[in-house]
Amino acid sequence: MVVSRLSFFRIKSVPDATAAGLKSLIEEAFGEFGLESWKQQLIGIGADGASVNMGAKQGLVVKMRDDNMPWLVGVHCFNHRLELAMKDALQGTFMDDFSSLLMLLFYQYNNSPKKLRELRELGEVMQVAVSKPKKAHGTRWVQHKLDATKVLIKGYGVIVGHLENLVVISSRDQSKEQGILKKLKSFKFVAHMLYFKVLLEKVARLSLAWQRNSIELPAVMAALRNLNTELEELEEVEDSSTLTHPVLTSIMKDDGSAEYHGIELRDVPQGKAHFLKHKKDYITKIKAACGKRFENLTGLVFEGAKILDTRLWPSDMGELRVYGNEEIMSVASHFKDILPAEIDPDTLLSQWKELKDFIYHNMMSTAGSTPQDIWQKVHIHYAINYDQVNTVINILRVLPFSNSVVERCFSTMNKVKTDWRAHLGEKTLEGLMRVKTSGPAVPDFDSKRAVDEFFFMKARRPHVAPYGPNKKQKMSDS
């Protein structure tokens, strides 16, 4: 099966963290691999939105384009855009207070093993598997907030119970614990905690979908449209529900009071009014922030990439015949400098029309066929018949849209190059990371060849060689 693949290439030390310095390192890395024609094969660059990468005048992408690569597509990582959109949307809302309290809880138990032990012991007594409160701040904004929220929801009753015990025994941090306890037991905090979990879960699903190595652009855009649809559906629920809101029904009692995990909540009228007033605003702000962060996905290449999503194709054959004709020709024109010379505009357009008809009548009726499945089949079985249009389609299929794999490589590097191995050289570190990211699974690894290479690459102590003092000479002679 043919799929676009992400692979670990090189790791380089950056002496000059400017756009020019990064460009020089990229050229050096390709040169070390002996890839002389790499510029003619480079389609796009995916990176975070830092100005050194995506700057409109002096960024890395601009400098690469100016170096005889005018077709190069620069893509601001979709996952980073989503994180920034959520941060923009909820900044200045109750999420700020909510996040601050999550961090207070984290430090409360992270800095005191004694309190953490007491918390877990209380959890055992209450028969609740309580976890240590998690840090709500980090590079992955959505997932950090969601994980910290889930831990608090699960252990809410135990955490409140433990803080009440600490206040009673007059601990050293009594005033701080009283402040945390007061907020935790407020109706406004609990209602927002449950609601933020719902919102964060929807966004987190999109973020996780974009982090898959095998996902292609049609699925990327479909996932983004799905999030927008889910938010619109949630908006409709907010318009139609007040007293029947799922959050309210889960904590309100018939007498007008409220409790959660057996804890009586305070300030119910004020908290309820605040929640009902602002609950829809959060959805509106998330939609607006996502729209702003993804509003520039209307460029030539991204417009052309929409034709890959066969689920958006019109069902009327007359409309289908003209669908995407302008886009496929525009994409071919954009990448004309790197496309094979034999590609002819008339032949390309003819193949595109014929291929649409073939896919519509022979592939789209198959149950469970995704756009990615369809284009894989075209590439494997029908590339000879549709060679020119297949070449253009494959360019669109490998566009970079997420650098989550790079973030995973950073995590791998931190595991390999620890404080105890801080002097690892660049080549050694690269080799170890290549094994970690691209090496075979442990059960499939044949260690004999590696052991032989280690003992026979240079003289070793005789007592260490596993094959005896004379075996080395015999193997060398053979």
Side-chain angles (χ1 to χ4, degrees):
M1 183 171 63
V2 179
V3 295
S4 56
R5 186 180 67 180
L6 294 170
S7 300
F8 176 74
F9 183 55
R10 295 301 301 267
I11 182 170
K12 302 288 290 183
S13 176
V14 183
D16 180 14
T18 63
L22 295 178
K23 179 176 178 292
S24 176
L25 279 180
I26 291 174
E27 293 171 344
E28 180 183 326
F30 279 109
E32 290 173 352
F33 266 84
L35 301 175
E36 298 178 357
S37 61
W38 63 272
K39 290 185 179 181
Q40 296 299 312
Q41 301 174 32
L42 189 63
I43 304 299
I45 295 179
D48 60 31
S51 58
V52 70
N53 295 320
M54 297 296 172
K57 295 181 179 180
Q58 295 294 325
L60 172 64
V61 175
V62 172
K63 289 188 175 295
M64 297 286 280
R65 286 176 183 154
D66 292 342
D67 189 13
N68 297 319
M69 289 185 284
W71 62 84
L72 197 66
V73 179
V75 183
H76 182 184
C77 170
F78 279 33
N79 290 95
H80 280 87
R81 292 189 197 213
L82 185 63
E83 300 286 332
L84 291 171
M86 287 296 292
K87 191 172 183 178
D88 294 343
L90 298 178
Q91 190 171 16
T93 68
F94 188 75
M95 173 59 83
D96 292 340
D97 296 333
F98 180 70
S99 299
S100 297
L101 189 59
L102 290 177
M103 289 303 297
L104 283 174
L105 283 172
F106 168 75
Y107 288 119
Q108 174 82 1
Y109 292 102
N110 184 70
N111 296 340
S112 175
K114 178 176 179 289
K115 291 178 181 177
L116 180 59
R117 185 185 69 251
E118 292 172 350
L119 178 70
R120 288 172 173 164
E121 289 174 350
L122 181 60
E124 291 178 0
V125 173
M126 299 176 65
Q127 297 183 343
V128 176
V130 62
S131 301
K132 173 185 171 182
K134 288 195 172 185
K135 191 174 183 179
H137 293 172
T139 53
R140 295 180 299 120
W141 192 92
V142 174
Q143 200 61 47
H144 277 90
K145 292 284 190 294
L146 179 58
D147 290 345
T149 302
K150 285 182 175 180
V151 168
L152 177 56
I153 288 175
K154 184 178 180 180
Y156 177 85
V158 181
I159 293 173
V160 170
H162 181 243
L163 290 172
E164 287 177 336
N165 292 340
L166 293 177
V167 170
V168 170
I169 63 175
S170 301
S171 68
R172 182 182 59 183
D173 300 322
Q174 185 184 33
S175 59
K176 182 175 70 174
E177 289 154 356
Q178 284 177 332
I180 296 175
L181 193 59
K182 182 179 179 180
K183 291 181 179 180
L184 278 176
K185 297 175 70 173
S186 70
F187 183 95
K188 181 168 71 171
F189 179 87
V190 173
H192 280 82
M193 174 179 68
L194 298 175
Y195 194 59
F196 284 150
K197 175 178 177 288
V198 174
L199 296 178
L200 292 172
E201 282 180 333
K202 292 183 180 300
V203 179
R205 281 197 296 271
L206 174 60
S207 180
L208 289 174
W210 284 350
Q211 292 174 37
R212 296 200 304 268
N213 287 351
S214 60
I215 192 171
E216 295 183 4
L217 202 53
V220 170
M221 303 306 292
L224 182 59
R225 290 193 299 270
N226 182 65
L227 174 63
N228 190 64
T229 301
E230 287 189 349
L231 292 176
E232 288 177 350
E233 292 172 349
L234 193 56
E235 264 188 323
E236 294 177 1
V237 172
E238 300 302 343
D239 287 333
S240 61
S241 64
T242 52
L243 295 177
T244 59
H245 194 282
V247 169
L248 298 182
T249 56
S250 66
I251 56 180
M252 291 292 297
K253 297 167 67 175
D254 294 337
D255 60 0
S257 62
E259 69 173 25
Y260 186 65
H261 284 211
I263 306 297
E264 192 76 18
L265 303 182
R266 49 184 292 274
D267 299 332
V268 175
Q270 302 91 322
K272 180 180 174 182
H274 183 278
F275 174 72
L276 291 174
K277 179 180 179 181
H278 294 283
K279 59 185 177 65
K280 187 179 177 181
D281 293 342
Y282 301 127
I283 303 174
T284 304
K285 289 181 178 181
I286 292 174
K287 286 178 59 180
C290 287
K292 184 177 180 179
R293 287 288 178 179
F294 292 96
E295 65 183 356
N296 62 342
L297 300 185
T298 56
L300 170 69
V301 175
F302 282 104
E303 286 294 328
K306 290 180 181 178
I307 64 179
L308 297 182
D309 195 342
T310 54
R311 293 166 297 194
L312 301 179
W313 287 10
S315 57
D316 180 78
M317 291 306 300
E319 295 178 4
L320 180 61
R321 184 161 181 80
V322 298
Y323 180 79
N325 293 356
E326 182 180 345
E327 287 81 359
I328 198 75
M329 299 306 295
S330 297
V331 172
S333 175
H334 181 84
F335 291 104
K336 62 182 184 298
D337 295 332
I338 59 174
L339 288 173
E342 59 269 18
I343 287 187
D344 171 68
D346 293 335
T347 304
L348 174 64
L349 183 58
S350 177
Q351 286 188 5
W352 169 241
K353 292 178 179 179
E354 185 180 340
L355 179 59
K356 287 185 293 181
D357 184 88
F358 177 80
I359 290 175
Y360 184 84
H361 288 96
N362 296 279
M363 293 185 179
M364 292 180 65
S365 59
T366 304
S369 289
T370 65
Q372 186 169 333
D373 296 332
I374 289 174
W375 294 117
Q376 285 171 0
K377 290 177 182 177
V378 169
H379 183 86
I380 296 171
H381 301 293
Y382 307 105
I384 296 178
N385 299 332
Y386 307 103
D387 57 335
Q388 295 194 16
V389 70
N390 183 62
T391 300
V392 177
I393 291 296
N394 282 339
I395 287 178
L396 295 175
R397 291 181 64 195
V398 298
L399 281 174
F401 63 88
S402 172
N403 63 344
S404 56
V405 66
V406 179
E407 302 293 341
R408 286 193 284 271
C409 283
F410 283 138
S411 298
T412 301
M413 182 182 69
N414 292 333
K415 294 175 183 177
V416 172
K417 191 171 183 178
T418 63
D419 292 341
W420 292 90
R421 309 175 78 187
H423 293 286
L424 282 176
E426 187 176 283
K427 293 294 183 182
T428 303
L429 177 60
E430 180 181 308
L432 293 173
M433 287 187 61
R434 195 177 302 282
V435 170
K436 282 276 192 179
T437 58
S438 308
V442 174
D444 301 330
F445 177 61
D446 181 9
S447 61
K448 185 178 184 303
R449 181 181 173 188
V451 172
D452 288 343
E453 182 70 20
F454 172 77
F455 279 104
F456 302 137
M457 65 189 298
K458 66 178 183 179
R460 301 283 179 184
R461 294 179 181 179
H463 301 294
V464 176
Y467 305 113
N470 298 324
K471 188 68 175 179
K472 177 181 176 181
Q473 184 64 37
K474 292 179 181 179
M475 294 189 70
S476 299
D477 293 341
S478 62

